Amino acid sequence: MRLGRSMRALSVALTIIGLMALWQIICWAGSIPEYILPPPSDILLRMIEDADSLYRHSLITLWEVFLGFAMAVVIGIPLAILLVYSRYISQSFFPIIVGIHCVPMVSLAPLLIIWFGFGLLTKVLIAFLISFFPIVINTTVGLRSMEKEMLNLAKSLRASSAQTFLYFRLPKALPSIFGGLKVGITLAIVGAIVAEFVASEKGLGYLQLMANSQLDVTMEFAVIFTLGIIGIGLFNLVGWIERLSMPWYHATRKEAD
Amino acid sequence: MLGKRIELLDAEKTFKARSGPVQALRPIRLAIEESSFVSIVGPSGCGKSTLMNMIAGLEPTSGGEIRLAGQSSRKPQEGNAIVFQKDVLLEWRSVLDNVLLPFELHHITWFDRRSKRTNRELAMELLEMVGLAAFADKYPFELSGGMRQRVSICRALIQNPTLLMMDEPFGALDALTREQMMYDLLKIFDKYKFTVLFITHSIEEAVFLSDRVVVMSPRPGAVVRDIPIQLERPRTIDTRANPAFQKHVQEIRDVFKAEGVLKEV
Ligand SMILES: Nc1ncnc2c1ncn2[C@@H]1O[C@H](COP(=O)(O)OP(=O)(O)OP(=O)(O)O)[C@@H](O)[C@H]1O
Ligand SMILES: [Mg+2]
């Protein structure tokens, strides 16, 4: 299994290297000017040159992502539990949640700026609002996925409703909850960047906006690469926590593959 | 220790489906003596599971009364253990933890002073009996269907039941495993002497295991025959060759033929 994972990492790395090489060749062969599409070698060099600035702005974006995501988890999961257990809440709140999700964040951002200013809070709120939805939906679906047979088992063992939740419903929902968290964390990044585009003097979104205004396409790509790395990293971090907390689940999936 | 007596006093069931009421069970009057092994056979959809769920307190009756050990019963009772058609193991718990689940839910620390057995040891003993001691620390996904069902039987037995209900417990198993499970079950029954309510499609299985076979009609289900099985215990591999065994099987087939469940071309 360990070997399998490192093999997979290797194949991912090789694929990325292959795509980069192709890109590099296209840039050379087509002699595409650098202000349209810089070759990856330039982008990577630029990332090393400006590592310091990229690192500082990354930390700021990461912090916004982390806070927004944490908020989405802390509010989203309990809300999903309420949605599952209360008919009233599921009927009255659910349409509102769906409605909020359908509003593009770009159109909400100016409002939030008016209310909360240009500071951290606005960005955290936008990251929260966008990552909140998949977490709520997936948790709700997961909590509702308990079959009749398992409920009958819980009843026949005379489990209390708290026990039915903790011993049966919640563990049963974990795979689905983690699915939501994986989508949620990537959306939190999107949220933070959108917020930084609209209102910011720091963060990766700001850095990219600045580069864009100076027509510094290489720097823009350097930021995009950094974002990609952060995205893959955070996604895998959630995946790692998932594997740790559900050893039984991944093994089952592997059989199915 | 003795098993529970079951009494059904005109217990019936009508489901309220979207398209209108569906009568699943006609009023059923039936008594099952303590510590006897009774099988229910009947065609698919005749209400066997519904009957068991009503006795188990998992499904309310729409009329009549159910008594367990002389007491009117509507809720799941202590001493009732169920083996469901699907094994319903908790995938996130090891085999041992699955077996220990009933103890954990009731915060029971089982500690028999004379034999000084802990919960764990008791669970291990049961797993040993069904030949799964080596799999105690495995997760359910690492087990075959037959092994999983044996774990779920251990989970039922650890509750020290006075009434064991089984809803087509061997339905998903291959013929060979199924036969072995029948011998195992009889061994356990001879040891514990609880009351067993066993639901099955298989006439042979019912005759082989039971003291009595209750035959049900197609839906709405009703008891059409109640046949005492005159075969000595302990039953062995040779029991099937016994002419009395064949006679009982034929008798039940004839009932199904008369009911129109089995048709010849
Ligand atoms: N929740 C329900 N709502 C409506 N009708 C139901 C419901 N559950 C069962 N029934 C009906 O009641 C009848 C008896 O169902 P039951 O599951 O008890 O049958 P069964 O004898 O156990 O069948 P099988 O051998 O296939 O398991 C069926 O005809 C079914 O359509
Ligand atoms: Mg059934």
Side-chain angles (χ1 to χ4, degrees):
Chain A
M1 214 159 95
R2 201 141 273 283
L3 186 78
R5 192 164 306 157
S6 57
M7 284 303 283
R8 206 161 55 211
L10 189 68
S11 83
V12 170
L14 285 177
T15 309
I16 290 175
I17 290 171
L19 287 173
M20 294 280 200
L22 190 67
W23 179 347
Q24 189 86 28
I25 290 165
I26 291 171
C27 285
W28 278 336
S31 45
I32 298 169
E34 196 173 304
Y35 56 83
I36 304 271
L37 183 69
S41 59
D42 284 13
I43 298 167
L44 291 175
L45 272 178
R46 188 60 181 277
M47 283 175 80
I48 295 166
E49 257 170 49
D50 280 337
D52 193 46
S53 141
L54 280 169
Y55 174 71
R56 263 187 302 113
H57 288 281
S58 292
L59 282 188
I60 288 157
T61 304
L62 268 176
W63 183 233
E64 294 159 3
V65 169
F66 171 75
L67 289 178
F69 178 69
M71 202 171 150
V73 172
V74 169
I75 295 176
I77 292 180
L79 182 72
I81 294 169
L82 286 177
L83 284 172
V84 170
Y85 276 92
S86 157
R87 173 172 283 258
Y88 164 74
I89 290 184
S90 75
Q91 280 173 355
S92 55
F93 272 68
F94 202 68
I96 299 176
I97 295 170
V98 174
I100 290 176
H101 182 68
C102 291
V103 179
M105 283 306 132
V106 190
S107 67
L108 264 189
L111 263 183
L112 291 174
I113 292 165
I114 294 174
W115 294 336
F116 304 110
F118 286 83
L120 179 66
L121 184 58
T122 301
K123 282 144 215 153
V124 171
L125 280 178
I126 292 176
F128 156 73
L129 281 173
I130 197 168
S131 64
F132 169 78
F133 190 72
I135 295 177
V136 173
I137 295 294
N138 277 274
T139 306
T140 310
V141 169
L143 290 173
R144 288 207 173 121
S145 71
M146 194 158 94
E147 15 355 6
K148 181 104 195 274
E149 286 95 343
M150 194 169 277
L151 198 65
N152 273 344
L153 172 71
K155 276 205 257 176
S156 78
L157 293 171
R158 290 165 293 123
S160 66
S161 45
Q163 284 176 330
T164 305
F165 179 76
L166 284 174
Y167 283 83
F168 299 88
R169 212 179 270 281
L170 187 61
K172 179 91 197 165
L174 273 184
S176 180
I177 292 175
F178 272 105
L181 294 183
K182 280 179 175 169
V183 179
I185 191 83
T186 50
L187 285 183
I189 300 172
V190 173
I193 297 298
V194 165
E196 285 171 357
F197 269 14
V198 180
S200 189
E201 61 291 346
K202 48 191 193 249
L204 288 175
Y206 165 78
L207 203 59
Q208 188 179 3
L209 212 59
M210 289 317 290
N212 189 277
S213 68
Q214 292 157 9
L215 296 179
D216 185 353
V217 180
T218 312
M219 188 60 186
E220 278 196 68
F221 271 105
V223 173
I224 290 172
F225 276 27
T226 310
L227 275 174
I229 293 168
I230 289 176
I232 293 170
L234 290 180
F235 184 85
N236 277 306
L237 184 67
V238 176
W240 178 69
I241 297 170
E242 178 186 34
R243 277 195 298 278
L244 280 190
S245 46
M246 306 189 296
W248 47 273
Y249 183 70
H250 270 263
T252 329
R253 293 300 104 169
K254 201 144 285 160
E255 309 265 291
D257 282 349
Chain B
M1 190 195 46
L2 231 59
K4 277 180 196 166
R5 180 182 169 79
I6 308 172
E7 286 160 293
L8 294 156
L9 304 172
D10 296 324
E12 59 178 307
K13 181 75 192 182
T14 302
F15 286 103
K16 287 180 203 73
R18 221 166 298 164
S19 52
V22 177
Q23 190 181 27
L25 289 170
R26 282 178 265 179
I28 291 192
R29 190 167 275 267
L30 182 72
I32 294 173
E33 306 79 29
E34 40 274 89
S35 302
S36 62
F37 195 126
V38 174
S39 287
I40 308 227
V41 286
S44 184
C46 75
K48 305 181 293 297
S49 299
T50 307
L51 184 71
M52 187 197 84
N53 286 340
M54 277 171 23
I55 295 170
L58 298 173
E59 189 82 72
T61 54
S62 352
E65 192 188 354
I66 287 167
R67 289 201 194 140
L68 295 182
Q71 304 278 317
S72 182
S73 162
R74 295 171 164 280
K75 290 227 163 67
Q77 302 287 329
E78 191 172 351
N80 292 2
I82 305 177
V83 177
F84 294 93
Q85 179 161 10
K86 277 172 70 183
D87 54 63
V88 236
L89 296 183
L90 308 189
E91 298 294 337
W92 48 92
R93 290 181 149 241
S94 70
V95 165
L96 183 66
D97 286 339
N98 264 288
V99 178
L100 286 171
L101 180 71
F103 279 157
E104 221 176 300
L105 290 176
H106 296 284
H107 311 289
I108 297 169
T109 41
W110 208 90
F111 196 80
D112 185 316
R113 225 174 268 142
R114 265 170 307 150
S115 57
K116 295 233 190 302
R117 286 187 305 176
T118 61
N119 288 350
R120 225 189 122 82
E121 284 164 28
L122 190 64
M124 285 308 293
E125 260 172 49
L126 288 170
L127 286 172
E128 189 105 41
M129 181 175 70
V130 299
L132 289 177
F135 292 84
D137 295 322
K138 299 256 190 277
Y139 282 107
F141 76 87
E142 296 168 278
L143 272 53
S144 72
M147 292 157 101
R148 292 174 62 110
Q149 193 57 290
R150 278 183 271 166
V151 175
S152 88
I153 290 175
C154 289
R155 179 179 62 196
L157 292 177
I158 205 165
Q159 300 169 60
N160 204 0
T162 44
L163 169 57
L164 179 66
M165 289 174 267
M166 306 175 101
D167 187 358
E168 298 184 38
F170 310 146
L173 307 182
D174 63 280
L176 206 58
T177 313
R178 193 179 177 121
E179 192 169 331
Q180 184 56 51
M181 297 281 285
M182 283 161 64
Y183 302 133
D184 291 346
L185 178 60
L186 282 182
K187 200 172 68 187
I188 294 164
F189 175 68
D190 287 335
K191 185 169 162 197
Y192 291 84
K193 282 292 172 199
F194 33 52
T195 306
V196 181
L197 182 71
F198 190 91
I199 288 168
T200 178
H201 276 129
S202 159
I203 300 172
E204 279 84 359
E205 197 171 81
V207 173
F208 182 75
L209 293 169
S210 318
D211 297 315
R212 246 171 88 200
V213 175
V214 173
V215 185
M216 287 178 70
S217 70
R219 190 176 65 93
V223 175
V224 285
R225 275 292 262 288
D226 190 337
I227 302 166
I229 303 297
Q230 275 124 15
L231 290 168
E232 281 159 31
R233 288 190 190 275
R235 307 216 173 133
T236 60
I237 296 181
D238 302 326
T239 302
R240 282 164 216 275
N242 189 329
F245 177 87
Q246 299 299 337
K247 200 188 101 251
H248 282 309
V249 170
Q250 196 50 49
E251 190 180 353
I252 296 169
R253 283 237 159 79
D254 290 341
V255 175
F256 282 136
K257 245 196 260 171
E259 286 289 319
V261 176
L262 292 173
K263 295 186 200 83
E264 279 159 309
V265 266

